[in-house]
Amino acid sequence: DIASVKQLYLTHVKLLAANTSTKEDSKQKPLWQLLTVAHLNHKPSLVIDLVSTYSHERIERYNSDKTLLRIKDWVLTSTTVDTLTDSNDSRKQVIATALPLYFNRVLGNIHFSRQQVIDDHIQPFVKYMDEALSFTQNPTRQPYPMQFDVMILPRAVTPENTDAVAADDDEEDDSDDEDKEEDVHDLRTVNIESQLQALNIKFVRKQRNASATAFFHQMLTELKDKLPLTQNDPFPRYCRLACIIDRRRCRQKQGCQADKNSSADKKSDAGKNSSADKNSSADKNSDAEKNSSADKPVPATQVSSAETKQESDTDTLYMYQPPNDGKITYESMPEQLIQNTVQNMLGDERFAQQGSPYMFVLSFHVMAEEETKCFLYHKGQCCRMQKEHIWKLWPHFFVDDEVNKTFIDSLKQSKMAQLLGLQLQLKDRKFEEFKKFARKTKMKQ
């Protein structure tokens, strides 16, 4: 059974095919055992569900006391693991050894590093997620199964002079020891249009229109006209669709951190000049105060409607069908869809391998009605999203300014979220079923 399951994964998921030497293969045995148990129990998503449960509890722990929940500690204390393994220590050890291998091969564990953070407002990112959910979860307009990947390139990334979070000492790095060449595939500078043209990919390019509704649907309609589809082609059903949203610039009008720093420097210089010139008029002081207040970021609750739409007006969107992904079916393993995102977002896996802080991707795996997995990829780490992770996880990735704080505080209140025009209806029914299943079911061994 292990041999057949292993062959299945090695055939369809290249992410699991690294280091297949005899020595490394022995090291990976617990992972193959766990994947085999999943298939014997007709639960092909078992491993990704376990990983997701652990990741969510890791987020809760870090937000609670700023410590990292290690996999081996979670396995020992998790009621989910205890139930699935019937409290058997040897079976728990298989899980404790398999999950770090899975993270190294398929997903990157969440590390909460603040070495580089996104210098942008969170609100437009949330708005795009909300629109993508509406786009993918409407069965009358958008058939399934399908995969929809949305990459949002932020205005800028600002290094922060804080210490990185220490790595988990129970998660070994089983990657190749070969020296890695410097990667020139830089999402900070890449020309999206030129890259798509070089790959001979048909795409639709549009500037964001604030007054438009169902924006992704409009782009899809235009894309269909460019693709060589037959009359009865169900596209994008059974396919993967991608959209890149380019926000890469920093405008003082919206109060980016880099611009606020620059503005603060100018104000400091102005203050020095003002103190040197003691005879400056009251009118000039009044004008300076008006200019100073204009430089300050507007609270998110005030930005929420008109200015957020205006801000999105100048975003450039590219929608296209990535090549060579293969057909997406109801039987597709989640690892296959994850591989699509990691290895083929812009036609070259090196864009994802570098773990760029500019890579902010929301990947929607839409398998049926009320069955949508949403994964966030950022800086080499990945998390299966639930609604509350917008305020529990995302703030760790963005500048810690008053605009973002105010918006996140507002979003936690459901009534305020409705006032902001957000639905955020992420329906991941299978995962909810797993959590109920794990509380009362023992797995076949």
Side-chain angles (χ1 to χ4, degrees):
D1 288 325
I2 290 179
S4 61
V5 170
K6 178 181 176 181
Q7 185 58 44
L8 173 69
Y9 276 92
L10 293 181
T11 301
H12 296 286
V13 186
K14 295 179 181 179
L15 294 173
L16 291 169
N19 290 336
T20 54
S21 64
T22 303
K23 179 180 178 181
E24 291 296 334
D25 197 48
S26 175
K27 184 178 178 181
Q28 296 178 67
K29 184 178 179 180
L31 177 57
W32 299 122
Q33 287 178 313
L34 188 57
L35 289 169
T36 302
V37 168
H39 281 265
L40 284 175
N41 286 272
H42 308 290
K43 297 288 182 182
S45 294
L46 171 66
V47 181
I48 195 71
D49 288 339
L50 277 171
V51 165
S52 301
T53 303
Y54 159 72
S55 295
H56 296 172
E57 294 187 24
R58 182 177 170 97
I59 294 169
E60 294 292 337
R61 167 73 67 84
Y62 188 79
N63 285 332
S64 174
D65 59 18
K66 293 297 183 290
T67 61
L68 294 177
L69 177 62
R70 299 182 301 174
I71 292 174
K72 61 183 181 181
D73 293 336
W74 175 75
V75 169
L76 291 175
T77 59
S78 168
T79 55
T80 297
V81 174
D82 199 54
T83 301
L84 292 176
T85 61
D86 196 19
S87 303
N88 184 290
D89 289 341
S90 62
R91 298 166 190 165
K92 289 182 180 181
Q93 184 58 40
V94 170
I95 295 176
T97 308
L99 293 193
L101 294 169
Y102 190 87
F103 272 114
N104 285 329
R105 287 284 181 265
V106 182
L107 301 174
N109 205 351
I110 303 169
H111 49 69
F112 301 101
S113 171
R114 296 284 294 177
Q115 285 298 315
Q116 288 182 298
V117 295
I118 295 174
D119 182 13
D120 205 340
H121 296 332
I122 296 178
Q123 185 171 357
F125 288 68
V126 177
K127 182 63 176 175
Y128 279 121
M129 177 181 174
D130 190 47
E131 292 180 355
L133 285 170
S134 299
F135 174 68
T136 57
Q137 296 186 154
N138 187 338
T140 60
R141 303 181 66 177
Q142 200 56 56
Y144 36 72
M146 67 167 290
Q147 180 177 0
F148 184 43
D149 284 358
V150 179
M151 174 187 281
I152 309 175
L153 298 173
R155 293 179 187 161
V157 169
T158 303
E160 293 206 353
N161 297 321
T162 55
D163 295 332
V165 176
D168 299 271
D169 57 14
D170 64 339
E171 297 179 28
E172 299 180 5
D173 182 4
D174 68 333
S175 58
D176 295 330
D177 293 330
E178 300 176 3
D179 293 334
K180 296 182 179 180
E181 296 181 0
E182 185 177 351
D183 199 343
V184 297
H185 292 72
D186 188 354
L187 288 173
R188 180 179 62 89
T189 57
V190 64
N191 185 309
I192 302 299
E193 189 162 345
S194 297
Q195 179 70 17
L196 294 175
Q197 289 173 341
L199 296 169
N200 198 28
I201 294 176
K202 301 289 185 183
F203 64 91
V204 171
R205 177 184 182 276
K206 292 182 74 70
Q207 296 294 117
R208 176 72 190 198
N209 184 350
S211 61
T213 57
F215 199 76
F216 288 133
H217 283 290
Q218 294 179 22
M219 294 189 71
L220 177 60
T221 299
E222 294 185 29
L223 180 61
K224 286 181 177 180
D225 292 338
K226 291 192 173 188
L227 296 177
L229 303 175
T230 61
Q231 184 175 359
N232 297 320
D233 195 311
F235 177 83
R237 190 179 188 185
Y238 305 122
C239 297
R240 174 173 169 241
L241 191 65
C243 185
I244 297 177
I245 301 167
D246 194 352
R247 295 174 52 82
R248 291 174 299 176
R249 70 274 178 207
C250 200
R251 295 166 296 169
Q252 185 172 346
K253 178 180 177 182
Q254 275 75 34
C256 281
Q257 189 64 45
D259 285 326
K260 285 185 281 184
N261 292 339
S262 175
S263 177
D265 291 341
K266 291 178 180 178
K267 292 176 191 176
S268 176
D269 291 340
K272 293 177 182 178
N273 293 335
S274 178
S275 62
D277 186 6
K278 296 182 180 180
N279 295 323
S280 59
S281 66
D283 290 339
K284 290 181 179 180
N285 288 336
S286 177
D287 291 340
E289 289 176 1
K290 291 178 181 178
N291 293 333
S292 176
S293 63
D295 287 338
K296 294 179 181 178
V298 181
T301 51
Q302 297 178 28
V303 172
S304 59
S305 55
E307 291 201 23
T308 297
K309 290 181 179 179
Q310 184 179 6
E311 177 180 332
S312 297
D313 275 347
T314 51
D315 292 349
T316 304
L317 281 72
Y318 303 84
M319 181 176 282
Y320 60 100
Q321 181 186 10
N324 307 320
D325 281 332
K327 188 175 182 179
I328 295 174
T329 69
Y330 294 108
E331 291 74 34
S332 293
M333 296 178 288
E335 291 83 5
Q336 289 176 271
L337 277 61
I338 290 169
Q339 179 172 267
N340 288 344
T341 303
V342 172
Q343 296 195 337
N344 189 19
M345 192 65 209
L346 264 172
D348 195 312
E349 63 187 45
R350 285 173 288 184
F351 284 109
Q353 285 177 340
Q354 65 179 215
S356 170
Y358 277 85
M359 184 177 183
F360 190 99
V361 178
L362 293 167
S363 180
F364 301 87
H365 303 178
V366 190
M367 306 310 293
E369 187 173 0
E370 297 189 355
E371 189 179 334
T372 298
K373 299 183 185 73
C374 175
F375 292 91
L376 167 65
Y377 301 82
H378 179 58
K379 285 201 301 189
Q381 55 197 326
C382 178
C383 178
R384 186 177 185 171
M385 285 288 299
Q386 291 190 310
K387 178 180 177 179
E388 62 267 22
H389 293 135
I390 295 174
W391 56 83
K392 291 182 177 180
L393 179 62
W394 288 22
H396 295 290
F397 303 149
F398 286 77
V399 289
D400 187 20
D401 62 17
E402 288 303 317
V403 174
N404 284 335
K405 286 180 180 178
T406 303
F407 172 70
I408 289 298
D409 288 342
S410 301
L411 193 61
K412 293 178 184 178
Q413 307 172 38
S414 58
K415 291 183 178 180
M416 182 60 72
Q418 294 175 3
L419 289 175
L420 296 172
L422 300 172
Q423 299 299 321
L424 295 172
Q425 296 297 319
L426 177 54
K427 302 172 183 178
D428 195 351
R429 178 174 54 85
K430 286 287 187 180
F431 188 43
E432 296 303 320
E433 289 178 356
F434 165 78
K435 288 187 282 189
K436 294 179 182 178
F437 161 86
R439 286 195 289 266
K440 59 184 180 181
T441 306
K442 297 177 178 64
M443 305 296 287
K444 297 177 183 176
Q445 306 306 325

